Amino acid sequence: MFAEITRYKMNRHTLFFSRWMAATACCALLACSGIVANAGTDLDLDGVLREVHKKIADKEQYKAIKEKRIDAIKEQIIRQEKDGKDAIDEYNALIGEYFSYSSDSTEYYLRKILPLCLTRGDKEGYIRNLLLIAWNNAQNGKWIETQEIIKNIKREDLVSNDLLERYYNTLWSFYNNYCSLNPQSPRFNEMRVAYRDSMMMYCDRNSETYTYACYEKRLEEKKYHEAEALIHPLFEEKSPNRGRAAYCLACIYKEEGRLQEAIYHLAYASAIDLKNGVMDNKAIYELGLLLYNEGDIDLAYECINSSLEDALVYNSNARINRISNDLPVIKDSYMGKIKKEKSRASLLAWLSTVTAILLACLTAFTLYQLRIIRRSRRLLKRTNEKLLQLNEEIQRKNSELDCINVSLTESNAIKDKYIVEFLVNCSEYIDKLNAYRFSLLKIANAGKYTELTSTLRSSSYTDAEIHTLMKNFDTVFLSLVPEFVPGVNQLLKAEARFDEGQFGLNTELRILALIRIGITDSVLISRFLRYSVSTIYNYRVKMRNNSLGERDEFEKKVTQIGKISG
């Protein structure tokens, strides 16, 4: 019945004219393009097959990316409809995402657009979307649904070349898919050719649709070089539909018997489809069949299984049935190969066990021979360890002796310096006392008792001697410990540090100098410096409070200034 309806809608003059125009255009295109062949081209077949394997493994990731884009468009539609705006453009974008992903969702949203087109008064858009629904059903083997839609479209409603192209394209798709299931029906094949030629008559000569229609004609006529010349530019220019071009080239090479090139281009198309989240993927199915025939059972099973998963997501009954017929054969071969590999693995395991036993016996014998050597080595090792310990102990004792020698040398140097200075100061002091005694005796002999009394009562002589004593102390101490003042400054806060350029020591530094040489008792320090015990105590507390580290460690650190560390 459907055939009769469609025959009524076409006349013979249209069919003849469309065939003549298509043949003329294809010949002109062939003359301009030349013949492009891949013979002799180096193809990285292993590389592209590895890429397919990787893409199959990452398929869920690509599906997630696709569904993320779909969800984003759905959110835009919700926002548009919430604001009371027309969301037909967003629906078209959503259908574009679903078109090769889910046939059911494609039809659902196409039908959802139909009322929007009527609301807009866009009758042409309404018919265009009806034809898309019919085309989608024809692609997926829904013959009855396609017939119902086509029956309800009137010929006089097809008011533009675009609608006429889509109309005949839908009929071409219907008979193309129907003939693939019934290849022995010449009547339906004639109608397929007629509708394709009619579609070409209304199609833009520069469009890819027209090019693919010409390609199909040349493929049917077995003019493979001409067909390749039509498709190869689409493959080379890296268009968005490059995967389809690769699939068409694979079909040409398959017909010519160039199987390696056919496998390469099918793998190329499959990798593109997998990456783009395409579920309506014919290339990977054809690739699986070719790989199976070439003996690559593993990848063939992987491709066919992936194709079945895609068909279930896309919900194409025709593809599911076709794959289901081929999958058991490939699966049986795959399972048979696994069984052989398991048998081979069992044999290898048995041989490995025997080898392991022999190796164990050899190892036991070797270990027995090595046991004596180990005992000797252990004894030698213990002896060496004892010698090392004794050597370390000797080195440690030598280091301690070196430290003691350094300390003794330092102490001897200080003692010698102090003894010399002590003898010199004592000699000078005796000379001064003797001179002072003669001066007093001279005053007494002269009978100047008042002057004698005044001289004895004056402290100028004592003060001068104390000043001299302090000056001598500073000179001797700084000659023995020249780095004393910088060393003290390193222990004090910045605001409490002493001037390193001054000559001699002040009271605080003399207190620290006495502590440095071992006089830590405040009473002895006060007697030497002629200050009260409380004054000395206050000075010491003040300097401890201004120390950078722990205040109780300050004087201990002072005693280490200028000492040689061992």
Side-chain angles (χ1 to χ4, degrees):
M1 179 179 179
F2 181 67
E4 295 300 322
I5 292 170
T6 52
R7 282 176 184 274
Y8 174 78
K9 292 182 178 180
M10 293 184 60
N11 56 67
R12 289 297 177 187
H13 175 73
T14 300
L15 290 175
F16 174 79
F17 181 74
S18 64
R19 290 177 182 178
W20 179 81
M21 285 292 293
T24 303
C26 288
C27 290
L29 179 61
L30 179 59
C32 295
S33 301
I35 298 174
V36 182
N38 277 335
T41 302
D42 292 331
L43 301 176
D44 184 13
L45 185 58
D46 292 338
V48 76
L49 289 176
R50 283 195 300 271
E51 189 66 19
V52 170
H53 174 73
K54 184 177 183 299
K55 290 289 189 295
I56 292 174
D58 298 337
K59 186 165 64 173
E60 292 302 319
Q61 176 184 341
Y62 298 127
K63 285 174 62 179
I65 294 172
K66 180 86 168 179
E67 289 173 359
K68 187 177 181 180
R69 289 201 303 269
I70 290 172
D71 292 339
I73 298 173
K74 287 181 178 179
E75 290 176 3
Q76 291 178 5
I77 293 173
I78 292 171
R79 285 197 297 270
Q80 289 285 93
E81 292 179 343
K82 188 176 181 181
D83 295 338
K85 297 179 181 179
D86 189 347
I88 194 166
D89 293 334
E90 287 74 14
Y91 276 118
N92 282 326
L94 183 61
I95 290 166
E97 292 291 342
Y98 270 129
F99 216 75
S100 60
Y101 189 71
S102 171
S103 62
D104 291 343
S105 297
T106 300
E107 182 175 353
Y108 173 78
Y109 286 104
L110 280 170
R111 292 191 180 278
K112 203 161 186 178
I113 284 182
L114 295 178
L116 297 178
C117 292
L118 294 176
T119 302
R120 276 188 173 186
D122 183 8
K123 187 174 182 181
E124 186 174 345
Y126 179 84
I127 295 173
R128 186 184 301 111
N129 285 302
L130 273 180
L131 289 172
L132 284 173
I133 294 171
W135 187 91
N136 183 61
N137 288 333
Q139 288 290 104
N140 296 292
K142 298 179 180 179
W143 319 120
I144 297 175
E145 291 87 343
T146 306
Q147 291 176 19
E148 289 297 324
I149 294 172
I150 294 295
K151 267 196 308 184
N152 292 324
I153 295 177
K154 298 179 181 179
R155 181 68 175 77
E156 57 269 20
D157 290 335
L158 306 176
V159 295
S160 66
N161 282 353
D162 178 61
L163 290 180
L164 286 166
E165 177 199 337
R166 292 177 183 273
Y167 177 77
Y168 290 120
N169 195 352
T170 302
L171 291 169
W172 173 33
S173 176
F174 175 87
Y175 282 106
N176 203 25
N177 287 285
Y178 192 80
C179 288
S180 67
L181 298 177
N182 301 277
Q184 306 302 324
S185 177
R187 185 167 65 93
F188 288 122
N189 190 56
E190 288 176 5
M191 297 179 70
R192 175 185 66 81
V193 173
Y195 284 125
R196 181 191 64 204
D197 293 344
S198 297
M199 184 272 295
M200 291 173 66
M201 184 175 66
Y202 294 104
C203 188
D204 181 5
R205 300 294 188 272
N206 296 320
S207 67
E208 288 189 4
T209 302
Y210 187 82
T211 302
Y212 282 115
C214 291
Y215 147 79
E216 185 182 280
K217 285 174 66 68
R218 292 294 173 264
L219 193 64
E220 290 174 358
E221 295 165 358
K222 300 188 184 302
K223 297 178 179 179
Y224 301 125
H225 292 300
E226 295 179 12
E228 184 180 358
L230 290 167
I231 297 300
H232 208 279
L234 298 178
F235 180 74
E236 289 297 328
E237 69 185 15
K238 299 183 179 180
S239 67
N241 293 325
R242 197 180 187 203
R244 183 181 178 186
Y247 175 77
C248 291
L249 287 173
C251 293
I252 296 170
Y253 299 141
K254 182 180 176 183
E255 292 296 324
E256 290 183 312
R258 295 155 63 180
L259 295 182
Q260 294 300 306
E261 292 172 77
I263 291 173
Y264 174 84
H265 285 84
L266 284 173
Y268 191 95
S270 300
I272 292 176
D273 288 343
L274 287 165
K275 185 176 181 179
N276 293 332
V278 175
M279 297 294 108
D280 186 18
N281 187 345
K282 296 179 182 178
I284 196 168
Y285 170 72
E286 298 291 341
L287 176 63
L289 294 180
L290 277 183
L291 290 174
Y292 176 73
N293 292 331
E294 291 295 303
D296 191 347
I297 305 298
D298 292 341
L299 189 54
Y301 176 74
E302 197 173 350
C303 290
I304 295 293
N305 198 49
S306 176
S307 179
L308 180 59
E309 291 173 357
D310 294 346
L312 290 171
V313 173
Y314 187 71
N315 196 23
S316 174
N317 293 329
R319 282 184 56 212
I320 292 172
N321 292 335
R322 186 178 177 187
I323 295 169
S324 298
N325 291 332
D326 295 323
L327 182 61
V329 177
I330 297 175
K331 185 177 180 180
D332 289 343
S333 299
Y334 178 73
M335 298 306 294
K337 182 180 179 182
I338 291 177
K339 187 176 180 180
K340 288 180 180 178
E341 289 178 352
K342 285 183 177 179
S343 299
R344 191 180 297 111
S346 299
L347 178 61
L348 290 174
W350 184 81
L351 292 174
S352 298
T353 303
V354 173
T355 304
I357 292 171
L358 294 174
L359 287 174
C361 294
L362 180 61
T363 302
F365 178 76
T366 305
L367 290 175
Y368 176 77
Q369 294 295 323
L370 292 175
R371 188 173 300 171
I372 298 174
I373 298 174
R374 285 202 192 96
R375 289 175 184 171
S376 301
R377 286 180 177 175
R378 282 197 296 268
L379 180 61
L380 182 60
K381 183 179 179 181
R382 283 196 293 268
T383 304
N384 288 335
E385 288 174 352
K386 288 180 181 180
L387 289 173
L388 287 173
Q389 290 175 357
L390 290 173
N391 190 31
E392 290 174 358
E393 184 67 21
I394 291 171
Q395 289 179 355
R396 188 177 61 81
K397 294 295 184 181
N398 287 336
S399 298
E400 291 176 358
L401 288 174
D402 290 341
C403 292
I404 293 171
N405 289 334
V406 170
S407 299
L408 289 174
T409 301
E410 180 184 320
S411 298
N412 290 334
I414 293 172
K415 286 177 182 179
D416 292 343
K417 187 76 174 178
Y418 271 124
I419 289 170
V420 172
E421 289 296 330
F422 174 75
L423 292 174
V424 171
N425 287 333
C426 287
S427 177
E428 289 177 353
Y429 189 65
I430 290 170
D431 292 340
K432 288 180 181 180
L433 284 176
N434 194 34
Y436 185 61
R437 184 177 62 82
F438 278 121
S439 66
L440 291 177
L441 181 61
K442 184 178 179 181
I443 293 171
N445 290 334
K448 299 177 182 180
Y449 297 109
T450 303
E451 183 180 352
L452 177 62
T453 304
S454 175
T455 300
L456 291 173
R457 287 177 177 175
S458 175
S459 63
S460 58
Y461 180 80
T462 306
D463 293 339
E465 291 301 319
I466 291 172
H467 177 73
T468 301
L469 175 63
M470 295 304 161
K471 184 178 179 181
N472 291 336
F473 174 76
D474 295 348
T475 303
V476 173
F477 181 78
L478 290 176
S479 67
L480 293 173
V481 192
E483 66 274 19
F484 181 72
V485 178
V488 170
N489 283 337
Q490 290 179 0
L491 302 176
L492 295 174
K493 298 176 182 177
E495 63 273 12
R497 291 174 181 171
F498 300 101
D499 182 9
E500 296 180 10
Q502 71 179 5
F503 179 78
L505 304 174
N506 58 18
T507 303
E508 290 100 325
L509 288 172
R510 289 193 186 106
I511 292 171
L512 295 176
L514 292 171
I515 292 172
R516 167 64 180 81
I517 63 176
I519 302 173
T520 58
D521 187 4
S522 295
V523 176
L524 293 177
I525 294 172
S526 67
R527 288 172 59 187
F528 180 77
L529 297 179
R530 299 298 192 273
Y531 287 104
S532 65
V533 175
S534 61
T535 301
I536 299 300
Y537 177 77
N538 290 334
Y539 274 127
R540 294 176 73 173
V541 170
K542 176 184 175 183
M543 287 184 286
R544 281 199 296 265
N545 290 335
N546 287 326
S547 65
L548 288 174
E550 293 290 334
R551 61 189 305 275
D552 294 337
E553 297 291 323
F554 174 70
E555 292 183 356
K556 184 178 179 180
K557 292 177 181 178
V558 169
T559 61
Q560 301 301 315
I561 295 174
K563 288 189 176 182
I564 300 174
S565 58

